[in-house]
Amino acid sequence: MSKYITTPIYYVNGEAHIGHAYTTFIADTMTRYEKLKGEDAYFLTGTDEHGQKIEESAAKNGKPTQEFANEISASFKNLWDEFEISYDKFIRTTDEDHKKGVQKAFEVMYAKGDIYKDFYEGHYCVSCETFFPETQLVDGEFCPDCGRSTSIVKEESYFFKLSKYEPALLKYYTDNPDFILPRSRANEVINFVKGGLRDLSVTRTSFSWGVKMPESMNDDKHVMYVWLDALMNYITALGYGKDDANMRYWPASTQFVGKDILRFHAIYWPAFLMSLDLPLPEHIGAHGWWTRDGEKMSKSKGNVISPKQVADAYGVENLRYFMLREVPFGQDGDFSQRAFIDRINSELSNDLGNLLNRIIGMSGKYSDFEIDSVDVLKYHTKEIEAMNIVLDSLDSFMKNMQTHRYLEELWKLFAIGNKAIEEHAPWVKMKEDRKDEALATVALVANILAKAAVMLHPVMPRTTNTIADALHFKIDHDSYKDLILEKNLLELFNIKVVPPLFPRVEEPLMPEAPKAMPDDKPNDQMKEDLKAKREDDNLIEIGQFFETSLKVGIVVEAEEVPKSKKLLKLQVDIGEDKPRQVIAGIKEFYSAESLLNTQVCVVANLKPAKLMGMLSEGMLLAAKDEDGLCLIRPEKPKKAGTPIG
Ligand code: MSP
């Protein structure tokens, strides 16, 4: 059976960061693992290049959109090439074949009766390229996902009958409990679907940087919604809509995504596939979010780490090892140089690197680098048994994407090897003239290391090839079959001296991340970073709390906003030169008069936003439940501008 593994396609509005690298590493590892096992595996990655967000980023950079997309797309591709990522195809949504494939899919869904034309009026978030119902907006205006201001967009649109697929999706989740992995993430998806699915607007007329409508629709005002366009990449890459050249790889075995885009992959994508009469992927694997030294990464804090910078300092293979070892798949992970260096020194240098050094040293000293395995079983059945138990356990961890457990177990092999050396002390045996025994121990350890290298190969391909070279064998499917499945020993080792693989790291090799100051102003990037938090039940650092500047305010003027059911226009004194104008969605609960001269709590460092054309320079804290909304106020009067926190 073939295996098809994908990463999300990365937006071309910024360079790759460590989160992108993680998804790519894990997908690369999984593909290499399947290939090692002899599977016909195909690995897809690429870039997502359409939509208003990209158009705006290009404009900000003063470049034509296509040129801008070309540059950033190339920077991703070059980075993956430099990292020796073993992708079989790098797709770009601006590829002609992809565009044709999307058009074809649109036609098929239309012919099926799943797409119809209507009008859409709603709150649209440009950054998330998503419409949100009013009930989901924060404070009547802000995007529930990224916190940015939404705008009201009314446009003619084609709709996909997502609602029609609600029962089929729910049934699919029940029948396939491993569709969403880790399983703990499935509930949020199921609840979302149970909450009711609205038909999805799948075209836009408000901008033009997208895949055009199929000619057969005769409607060139519209371009495709970027998520429809983007999700289709997983099949257009296989030739869908062209020649189906590689469609035999469909359905995908695992599609890796970050938890923030799980909903698109676990709801929209399967519904589109059902409409296209295509089978659904076996697994959607949702991974967590990476922080740096416990803090969200953001441009303004200057603490974003580029994978290239880390790889240049520590080596890309060490980074792969660290990221895959450090976090349980699905959970958030933290990148800190301390933790990284500790793992390099203790696990890579001490446990693994030393074992190779000892084999090189002992084989050189005792038998001119030539050792054979003839006596291994005679003296070391106990170790061989222990080794086989570990080797047999590994596959299930990788199948469940539990790379941290896979590596943890794999490391037990080095413990078995190092312990055998201590216990059997070949140097003593040599002195006692028991050379056979001494060499059997060295050969045992060389076999353990060889097998470990085979299994570590998907995670550290280059390093393990060096180990194999030193031990005089090759890592490929044949050696996997021979050494792992058939449990054979390597007959002869002709050991080659190689320099130490993992020099110890004494000092951090990169500058430390700047610490965020409590009075750092939140900006778009931070809000974006917080988006992941909101979806998760993560705890935050105290510093993150203080990123929000909260102040006591006094309402000095209040009036209704004409023609608005919800809004009041307030002037709130927060101890500055002049009052702040706050447009608050509280008219249903408070009259303008009743607010005059009362105290309120104000979020003072929100980026100003326009609501119905009026500037709003803050937000009031309030609590809302089924009984209505009430403002949060100081228990005793405080001076305007008193900080809260
Ligand atoms: N273009 C869409 C995906 C379309 S797939 C049909 C997109 N692109 S993205 O560039 O914004 O994000 C790509 C992936 O990177 C997502 O899976 C996202 O979860 C992941 N990450 C972005 N920041 C991350 C961290 N800080 N940590 C871990 N992964 C993160 O979404």
Side-chain angles (χ1 to χ4, degrees):
M1 217 181 70
S2 62
K3 300 278 175 183
Y4 181 33
I5 292 163
T6 65
T7 72
I9 44 173
Y10 304 112
Y11 281 132
V12 290
N13 56 350
E15 304 273 319
H17 64 70
I18 204 111
H20 300 137
Y22 176 67
T23 326
T24 306
F25 289 156
I26 195 163
D28 183 61
T29 297
M30 207 57 86
T31 311
R32 288 175 183 273
Y33 185 73
E34 295 295 353
K35 287 184 178 164
L36 190 64
K37 283 170 64 182
E39 300 286 355
D40 174 16
Y42 193 90
F43 172 17
L44 174 74
T45 189
T47 43
D48 188 356
E49 306 183 15
H50 287 130
Q52 200 170 353
K53 183 160 58 173
I54 309 293
E55 205 173 34
E56 286 175 1
S57 293
K60 252 190 230 155
N61 283 274
K63 300 212 166 129
T65 315
Q66 185 66 63
E67 189 184 314
F68 179 73
N70 290 348
E71 276 173 24
I72 309 263
S73 177
S75 77
F76 272 96
K77 189 161 184 289
N78 292 339
L79 185 69
W80 302 153
D81 288 343
E82 189 180 322
F83 284 2
E84 293 176 31
I85 300 300
S86 61
Y87 59 81
D88 293 283
K89 184 173 168 84
F90 185 98
I91 191 168
R92 303 183 53 186
T93 54
T94 50
D95 291 342
E96 284 311 313
D97 287 349
H98 167 77
K99 293 193 234 171
K100 285 200 190 107
V102 177
Q103 289 168 334
K104 166 81 183 172
F106 193 95
E107 282 174 332
V108 172
M109 296 195 290
Y110 187 77
K112 178 124 185 228
D114 282 349
I115 288 184
Y116 62 94
K117 198 170 176 180
D118 202 341
F119 277 92
Y120 195 96
E121 178 165 6
H123 301 266
Y124 189 66
C125 172
V126 174
S127 174
C128 298
E129 307 275 16
T130 309
F131 277 106
F132 290 97
E134 189 148 351
T135 48
Q136 281 185 20
L137 296 184
V138 177
D139 216 26
E141 185 203 343
F142 298 103
C143 170
D145 275 357
C146 75
R148 289 188 173 86
S149 167
T150 55
S151 44
I152 293 186
V153 172
K154 174 167 183 172
E155 53 181 55
E156 187 187 78
S157 175
Y158 286 88
F159 285 81
F160 172 74
K161 287 187 183 165
L162 187 62
S163 55
K164 167 179 158 184
Y165 288 96
E166 204 178 296
L169 285 169
L170 289 171
K171 179 168 175 357
Y172 193 82
Y173 305 139
T174 313
D175 295 348
N176 299 277
D178 281 336
F179 174 56
I180 298 167
L181 288 177
R183 281 185 177 198
S184 54
R185 287 242 161 246
N187 266 350
E188 72 194 42
V189 172
I190 293 172
N191 289 339
F192 189 90
V193 176
K194 281 190 179 156
L197 293 178
R198 289 151 53 113
D199 289 350
L200 185 68
S201 158
V202 288
T203 64
R204 297 284 182 272
T205 52
S206 50
F207 62 91
S208 58
W209 183 244
V211 177
K212 307 236 164 337
M213 293 293 278
E215 265 173 34
S216 60
M217 301 294 300
N218 210 0
D219 199 346
D220 56 11
K221 276 206 312 279
H222 294 258
V223 293
M224 306 276 181
Y225 169 48
V226 65
W227 271 101
L228 174 79
D229 161 5
L231 287 164
M232 291 299 166
N233 93 88
Y234 301 128
I235 51 173
T236 61
L238 301 179
Y240 179 86
K242 193 188 172 214
D243 52 11
D244 289 351
N246 281 319
M247 276 303 277
R248 72 193 149 90
Y249 285 107
W250 191 259
S253 41
T254 305
Q255 304 210 257
F256 287 102
V257 298
K259 61 184 181 182
D260 55 319
I261 55 171
L262 175 61
R263 206 193 295 161
F264 296 96
H265 285 80
I267 301 175
Y268 299 176
W269 180 223
F272 292 157
L273 287 166
M274 286 176 184
S275 176
L276 295 172
D277 289 318
L278 286 172
L280 271 47
E282 209 177 323
H283 307 296
I284 303 290
H287 66 73
W289 211 253
W290 280 88
T291 50
R292 180 176 190 183
D293 298 318
E295 307 231 5
K296 283 289 170 194
M297 285 178 263
S298 81
K299 281 189 194 141
S300 78
K301 286 189 208 164
N303 68 345
V304 177
I305 349 166
S306 103
K308 165 107 176 87
Q309 187 193 358
V310 187
D312 285 348
Y314 291 94
V316 64
E317 300 236 328
N318 288 359
L319 177 61
R320 284 171 74 111
Y321 172 78
F322 174 74
M323 296 192 96
L324 298 186
R325 174 66 185 83
E326 183 74 4
V327 289
F329 182 80
Q331 292 183 22
D332 290 344
D334 185 51
F335 179 92
S336 81
Q337 290 199 81
R338 201 56 269 158
F340 190 14
I341 292 171
D342 283 350
R343 287 203 187 275
I344 293 178
N345 288 345
S346 75
E347 291 158 22
L348 294 175
S349 186
N350 274 0
D351 301 341
L352 166 54
N354 271 350
L355 200 61
L356 178 62
N357 295 343
R358 294 173 98 173
I359 295 167
I360 294 174
M362 291 190 291
S363 66
K365 219 160 158 192
Y366 309 154
S367 65
D368 203 17
F369 298 108
E370 291 235 345
I371 42 174
D372 61 48
S373 295
V374 277
D375 287 328
V376 171
L377 285 171
K378 189 161 146 201
Y379 296 108
H380 290 295
T381 43
K382 193 181 81 188
E383 287 89 353
I384 296 283
E385 266 168 32
M387 172 185 79
N388 285 335
I389 291 174
V390 173
L391 289 170
D392 287 342
S393 74
L394 294 176
D395 192 54
S396 74
F397 295 119
M398 196 58 104
K399 273 198 186 124
N400 290 313
M401 300 160 205
Q402 292 301 331
T403 56
H404 77 295
R405 289 284 292 119
Y406 180 91
L407 291 166
E408 190 180 32
E409 286 302 299
L410 184 52
W411 249 246
K412 289 189 177 159
L413 295 177
F414 305 128
I416 297 171
N418 279 315
K419 189 162 162 242
I421 298 177
E422 298 310 321
E423 267 180 23
H424 294 270
W427 50 94
V428 176
K429 304 265 162 65
M430 285 301 285
K431 277 192 203 141
E432 292 171 351
D433 221 7
R434 293 151 74 189
K435 188 170 176 184
D436 285 359
E437 278 179 62
L439 290 184
T441 304
V442 182
L444 164 78
V445 179
N447 273 291
I448 292 178
L449 182 59
K451 289 174 195 252
V454 173
M455 297 310 277
L456 184 58
H457 185 68
V459 179
M460 305 182 84
R462 222 186 288 165
T463 311
T464 48
N465 280 341
T466 310
I467 296 175
D469 191 34
L471 298 181
H472 194 56
F473 79 110
K474 247 184 134 56
I475 300 178
D476 53 20
H477 175 56
D478 289 340
S479 53
Y480 170 81
K481 239 173 48 197
D482 184 31
L483 299 179
I484 308 298
L485 295 184
E486 290 162 18
K487 301 188 164 42
N488 294 322
L489 300 179
L490 280 168
E491 275 170 28
L492 197 71
F493 295 89
N494 204 336
I495 309 282
K496 191 165 129 186
V497 179
V498 292
L501 295 177
F502 307 103
R504 285 184 66 83
V505 180
E506 302 301 343
E507 292 289 323
L509 302 173
M510 301 185 324
E512 288 296 348
K515 279 267 161 265
M517 299 306 286
D519 61 354
D520 265 4
K521 297 273 183 294
N523 67 0
D524 289 349
Q525 182 63 40
M526 282 189 195
K527 279 190 231 148
E528 190 158 296
D529 294 339
L530 286 170
K531 139 185 168 186
K533 280 257 182 257
R534 221 176 274 138
E535 283 178 4
D536 215 5
D537 48 359
N538 280 337
L539 300 177
I540 61 165
E541 299 288 330
I542 186 80
Q544 282 171 284
F545 173 73
F546 283 112
E547 284 164 9
T548 312
S549 161
L550 296 171
K551 290 187 175 168
V552 173
I554 299 171
V555 180
V556 291
E557 275 177 44
E559 57 184 283
E560 296 189 347
V561 172
K563 287 203 221 129
S564 166
K565 275 205 314 256
K566 300 203 161 163
L567 300 179
L568 290 180
K569 182 160 113 183
L570 312 174
Q571 305 298 329
V572 185
D573 177 4
I574 59 165
E576 297 173 340
D577 299 350
K578 61 181 182 59
R580 293 264 190 113
Q581 175 161 296
V582 176
I583 310 295
I586 55 173
K587 188 164 158 188
E588 288 159 290
F589 310 98
Y590 290 91
S591 68
E593 260 168 26
S594 70
L595 288 172
L596 261 189
N597 297 321
T598 63
Q599 298 218 318
V600 287
C601 298
V602 182
V603 180
N605 58 349
L606 263 187
K607 214 173 177 184
K610 277 208 164 156
L611 286 172
M612 295 190 73
M614 291 166 302
L615 196 66
S616 183
E617 305 167 303
M619 192 178 101
L620 305 190
L621 294 192
K624 192 175 178 188
D625 62 11
E626 53 288 356
D627 296 330
L629 172 147
C630 74
L631 288 167
I632 310 290
R633 306 175 185 277
E635 192 195 0
K636 292 187 195 136
K638 288 279 162 199
K639 270 219 308 280
T642 308
I644 303 171

